[in-house]
Amino acid sequence: NAGVTQTPKFRVLKTGQSMTLLCAQDMNHEYMYWYRQDPGMGLRLIHYSVGEGTTAKGEVPDGYNVSRLKKQNFLLGLESAAPSQTSVYFCASREARGPNLYNEQFFGPGTRLTVL
Amino acid sequence: GENVEQHPSTLSVQEGDSAVIKCTYSDSASNYFPWYKQELGKGPQLIIDIRSNVGEKKDQRIAVTLNKTAKHFSLHITETQPEDSAVYFCAAPDPAGTASKLTFGTGTRLQVTL
């Protein structure tokens, strides 16, 4: 099993350009998450999904959109990139065990995005 | 939502010494507290977690303690080794949500020196 994979690994954009980050998992997990990691700020949740066809906003959703058309894939889109979106982006997934039954989140290796 | 504070932001210890990282949380309804380790260039990985029905959990050289009254939990690493050098994150869930969202602390960079 590959676990959680992310593409691309690195990307440089110019302000105003758009791009899509792809997250794929082969563990048949229901829940998927997108985080951004910035120095001194930990991991902040951007958007998440509790199942195929569903998405919801996290802590810092502005400037991002997501789609979960297939259970195994979770896409993060930047429609008009801004320098403030320079960050490392992590995708995670976890098995569903019920609303208040918490278990491990499995993280991908990350995508390092620079917006000039 | 949950608010998680983590201290210290950096920690340097000599090989063989112990390291302690502390976190506080705000929502008394939170009942699950994981710790993640992030090695350079990789994604975070769960190393230990604790649920609110126990006060301490051990796994070889690592342990987590929980004080629900004071709303804080700590990670203890004994006999530190160079491979323990990494960034460590604590987290607590958003009990009001249905997707088991986690709020992460800001991280502690642990450096184990020879």
Side-chain angles (χ1 to χ4, degrees):
Chain A
N1 289 348
V4 180
T5 58
Q6 293 182 234
T7 53
K9 289 184 170 55
F10 304 94
R11 186 72 185 267
V12 178
L13 290 178
K14 294 181 180 179
T15 297
Q17 288 184 320
S18 63
M19 77 162 295
T20 300
L21 283 67
L22 170 64
C23 175
Q25 52 93 6
D26 61 1
M27 297 173 282
N28 201 36
H29 286 170
E30 288 290 337
Y31 296 168
M32 296 187 74
Y33 308 84
W34 274 108
Y35 296 90
R36 60 178 289 172
Q37 183 177 23
D38 303 292
M41 303 187 76
L43 293 154
R44 293 183 294 168
L45 183 64
I46 305 171
H47 286 280
Y48 63 96
S49 169
V50 300
E52 181 179 320
T54 73
T55 63
K57 294 180 180 180
E59 180 187 356
V60 288
D62 294 343
Y64 305 95
N65 56 76
V66 287
S67 64
R68 182 102 181 267
L69 299 179
K70 293 183 179 180
K71 185 178 184 179
Q72 64 268 32
N73 296 336
F74 196 25
L75 306 179
L76 178 70
L78 287 73
E79 291 186 347
S80 180
S84 61
Q85 294 178 304
T86 293
S87 188
V88 181
Y89 292 86
F90 288 99
C91 175
S93 73
R94 77 168 191 89
E95 183 182 2
R97 290 188 182 178
N100 291 314
L101 296 176
Y102 305 105
N103 56 340
E104 180 176 2
Q105 287 191 16
F106 292 84
F107 284 82
T111 294
R112 184 173 294 276
L113 175 66
T114 301
V115 183
L116 302 175
Chain B
E2 181 66 274
N3 182 40
V4 177
E5 294 190 358
Q6 182 173 347
H7 300 280
S9 57
T10 60
L11 180 59
S12 182
V13 299
Q14 285 195 324
E15 183 179 5
D17 288 349
S18 296
V20 180
I21 304 170
K22 299 181 179 180
C23 287
T24 62
Y25 62 98
S26 60
D27 195 326
S28 57
S30 290
N31 58 5
Y32 171 72
F33 306 94
W35 285 90
Y36 285 79
K37 176 183 181 182
Q38 184 180 26
E39 297 178 346
L40 192 62
K42 297 184 178 181
Q45 186 172 10
L46 180 72
I47 55 171
I48 195 167
D49 56 19
I50 191 169
R51 300 182 193 272
S52 59
N53 55 345
V54 296
E56 184 177 6
K57 183 177 179 181
K58 283 186 176 181
D59 183 2
Q60 299 183 338
R61 295 186 298 106
I62 60 173
V64 56
T65 58
L66 172 63
N67 184 326
K68 288 216 68 173
T69 302
K71 290 190 283 187
H72 67 71
F73 56 110
S74 301
L75 177 70
H76 305 254
I77 306 174
T78 59
E79 301 174 16
T80 54
Q81 301 171 4
E83 53 264 38
D84 295 328
S85 295
V87 179
Y88 292 81
F89 293 98
C90 62
D94 175 7
T98 59
S100 302
K101 293 181 291 179
L102 292 176
T103 297
F104 285 85
T106 50
T108 297
R109 183 174 299 277
L110 174 64
Q111 184 172 359
V112 179
T113 58
L114 299 175

